[in-house]
Amino acid sequence: MQHTLFFPMMIHGFGFLSLSASLVLPWALTGLVQGQKITESLFKDVPQLSTVQEIPLPNRKLISRISTATTYYVSNNGNDRNSGLSTSSAFRTLQRAANLTNPGDTVLIMNGEYKNRPQDGAVLNIKRSGTANAWIKYKAYPGHFPKIQHDTWNGILISNKASYIEINGLEVIGDNAKIDRDYAMSQKDNGNNRFTNGNCISIGEKEGKGRSHHINILNNKVHDCGGSGISAIEADYVKVDNNTVFNNSWYTRNGCSGISMLNNWSSDNNQGYKIFVTNNKSYNNRMYVPWYQAGKITDGNGIIVDVSKGYRGRILIANNITYKNGGSGIHSHDSQHIDIINNTAYLNQQSSDVKKKAKGEIYAGYSSDVKIFNNIMYASPGNAVNSNMKNVNVNYNYNVYSNHSTIKVTGSRDIIADPQFVNASARDFRLKSTSPAINSGLKWSSLTTDFLGNPRVSGYATDRGAYENP
């Protein structure tokens, strides 16, 4: 059963019940870089070429009209009265540039801290779309590390069905450092508190007003938001790749997670891969305030695909590292057509309410057509590494399960053993040379690199988990 809430944003799963929360904004809101490790034809960058149209005129020579993409610059030392067309004439605010963009344009953001004005619902509200051959890109200026610091509903919001948008190389920071649990608990019935419920990067405003497509969220650092880290509602053709997402979902009254995809929307009939959640590190995302509809802690997952039974495309969740989240590391709730491949999940399910009904480090519930292969799942003693709750055609195989965990379902090629991480206490989840995960996985044709971008396969068979041993 799906519930619609009446207050601000976002989304998200409901780890062990048959319900799921989807949150709604009360009004429309206003306003490093590594190579991509998995390349899919649907997401290839298209060169921004000038187009030249020659118009013949009688008795006159040809006149050439040239249309070119524009690069805008934003700097902490800029001024919104500037042209924004060079580093020396940069704008001061991100929104000034966003309000001018056209297909093919790029916004380069220089060092500094960018904040929302008190009346704004986001530091950057993206409403203008690119096109299939001319994406609009918001990127860190080469060698720079800009920060978006907000205390409102969103650091970055993609609204108004904006599509063909890329966010690349930014740091988005929420308000958690200024909030404590006592204050957050005092606000657990206040859905209008933007300080406790604010999100970092949000795709879509609310159900029925989402419907963005072709969105790339790449190489960002996203943390300390009371609500969601990276979330999408009713979106299609989304890539969330190589982001670091942590310390989110702490203080919201809503069921939020580190990375979440809710009510995925099919913009066409393509049944191939259209949503990618790959090469991300998601940790310490958890809830400290009960979800108000359930009266308990329900989420704070590393990654969740939520309430997407009607989605016709396929989803790839691969090469991710999730650890010490309050909820599960990765899971599918009430969804379908998902491949969860070569991920590493370590000591998730940290929240006490979640532990009582722990369903797994990586698992599916109320789902269909899900493959969970080549993963490493390391749970706390007695906690479940997986489960099979009211699923249809959900297959676990070629996984490694820690030998002190509770295992609810096993595949014929699953292994129960110590995966032998290099140094898990230091968060180094690479594999020792004696690990049973090495050369024992199933080659997945759509996955040609590992978490670090190294070729997969390097031995005679693929390794299990997010890393491929050289």
Side-chain angles (χ1 to χ4, degrees):
M1 180 184 300
Q2 178 187 351
H3 290 252
T4 300
L5 311 182
F6 298 99
F7 300 111
M9 197 85 192
M10 223 38 263
I11 192 161
H12 317 299
F14 187 13
F16 49 82
L17 301 180
S18 60
L19 305 176
S20 180
S22 60
L23 308 180
V24 190
L25 281 173
W27 52 77
L29 303 176
T30 57
L32 126 218
V33 177
Q34 301 177 18
Q36 296 179 8
K37 297 172 184 167
I38 295 180
T39 302
E40 296 288 339
S41 60
L42 298 174
F43 288 90
K44 286 181 179 176
D45 290 338
V46 179
Q48 307 302 313
L49 300 178
S50 300
T51 57
V52 179
Q53 182 180 10
E54 294 185 343
I55 305 175
L57 298 175
N59 302 319
R60 299 181 63 180
K61 67 180 181 179
L62 295 179
I63 298 175
S64 183
R65 293 185 178 180
I66 303 175
S67 175
T68 59
T70 301
T71 297
Y72 294 105
Y73 299 84
V74 182
S75 167
N76 255 185
N77 299 317
N79 190 312
D80 281 355
R81 295 180 180 178
N82 289 340
S83 68
L85 298 177
S86 69
T87 57
S88 59
S89 62
F91 293 136
R92 174 63 182 84
T93 67
L94 301 172
Q95 197 60 49
R96 171 63 173 153
N99 292 343
L100 296 175
T101 54
N102 289 307
D105 290 351
T106 297
V107 178
L108 292 180
I109 305 165
M110 293 187 279
N111 280 338
E113 189 172 80
Y114 301 87
K115 297 183 177 181
N116 56 282
R117 296 179 301 174
Q119 69 271 26
D120 290 340
V123 179
L124 172 59
N125 187 355
I126 299 169
K127 297 182 178 182
R128 297 164 72 94
S129 295
T131 65
N133 293 327
W135 288 51
I136 297 174
K137 299 182 179 183
Y138 296 81
K139 302 172 66 174
Y141 184 87
H144 284 220
F145 304 94
K147 300 177 186 294
I148 294 175
Q149 172 77 63
H150 77 96
D151 59 4
T152 187
W153 296 118
N154 298 281
I156 299 175
L157 173 65
I158 299 174
S159 65
N160 197 39
K161 303 181 182 180
S163 301
Y164 300 104
I165 301 295
E166 178 179 303
I167 308 295
N168 196 329
L170 309 180
E171 182 173 1
V172 184
I173 310 165
D175 213 32
N176 284 358
K178 301 176 183 177
I179 302 172
D180 61 26
R181 187 176 182 275
D182 288 342
Y183 173 74
M185 285 296 293
S186 75
Q187 298 297 303
K188 65 184 178 63
D189 297 320
N190 184 3
N192 290 310
N193 190 326
R194 65 179 66 190
F195 307 115
T196 55
N197 295 307
N199 311 287
C200 282
I201 300 178
S202 301
I203 304 167
E205 300 169 85
K206 62 181 180 179
E207 293 171 84
K209 289 192 175 182
R211 303 296 174 90
S212 291
H213 56 88
H214 293 87
I215 306 292
N216 287 353
I217 309 295
L218 313 175
N219 310 307
N220 302 287
K221 187 177 180 181
V222 176
H223 60 100
D224 288 286
C225 286
S228 302
I230 299 172
S231 55
I233 181 169
E234 290 187 350
D236 197 11
Y237 289 98
V238 177
K239 176 184 275 191
V240 178
D241 182 75
N242 198 38
N243 301 281
T244 301
V245 181
F246 60 98
N247 292 358
N248 300 295
S249 307
W250 286 10
Y251 297 131
T252 180
R253 70 198 288 265
N254 306 306
C256 295
S257 293
I259 300 173
S260 58
M261 305 283 132
L262 174 68
N263 285 349
N264 297 317
W265 162 65
S266 299
S267 62
D268 57 26
N269 291 318
N270 181 5
Q271 296 181 12
Y273 286 134
K274 299 201 293 176
I275 293 179
F276 300 82
V277 182
T278 51
N279 307 300
N280 302 286
K281 185 179 290 186
S282 183
Y283 63 94
N284 204 32
N285 304 287
R286 61 183 299 174
M287 295 172 62
Y288 289 101
V289 176
W291 180 39
Y292 80 97
Q293 282 201 348
K296 63 180 69 174
I297 304 297
T298 57
D299 287 89
N301 309 288
I303 299 168
I304 182 171
V305 178
D306 200 7
V307 192
S308 295
K309 276 279 183 70
Y311 186 61
R312 294 190 292 272
R314 197 155 195 93
I315 301 166
L316 179 64
I317 302 176
N319 287 343
N320 299 286
I321 298 172
T322 65
Y323 61 90
K324 291 205 168 180
N325 293 288
S328 61
I330 302 170
H331 84 262
S332 162
H333 174 76
D334 196 24
S335 298
Q336 64 182 3
H337 308 324
I338 304 171
D339 296 326
I340 304 175
I341 312 296
N342 276 108
N343 302 281
T344 296
Y346 177 81
L347 297 183
N348 294 288
Q349 306 171 99
Q350 292 284 314
S351 297
S352 57
D353 280 357
V354 172
K355 286 181 179 178
K356 292 175 185 177
K357 294 187 177 181
K359 298 304 177 186
E361 292 290 305
I362 299 176
Y363 77 99
Y366 304 89
S367 296
S368 61
D369 186 18
V370 179
K371 293 180 176 64
I372 302 174
F373 286 10
N374 290 350
N375 303 286
I376 296 177
M377 307 180 205
Y378 193 105
S380 300
N383 268 14
V385 292
N386 64 11
S387 64
N388 197 23
M389 180 186 293
K390 299 186 178 180
N391 292 318
V392 176
N393 190 26
V394 171
N395 297 306
Y396 295 83
N397 216 346
Y398 293 90
N399 301 297
V400 177
Y401 306 128
S402 52
N403 50 14
H404 54 246
S405 308
T406 301
I407 303 166
K408 300 293 184 66
V409 56
T410 57
S412 61
R413 298 297 182 92
D414 284 343
I415 296 173
I416 302 171
D418 181 356
Q420 300 183 34
F421 297 125
V422 168
N423 189 351
S425 62
R427 308 300 177 251
D428 186 346
F429 300 110
R430 292 174 300 160
L431 303 172
K432 295 179 180 178
S433 61
T434 53
S435 169
I438 294 176
N439 292 331
S440 64
L442 176 70
K443 180 174 174 57
W444 201 261
S445 61
S446 300
L447 203 57
T448 59
T449 58
D450 73 348
F451 175 79
L452 294 175
N454 296 320
R456 193 187 287 280
V457 182
S458 66
Y460 59 83
T462 192
D463 298 344
R464 309 183 191 202
Y467 292 99
E468 181 80 11
N469 260 32

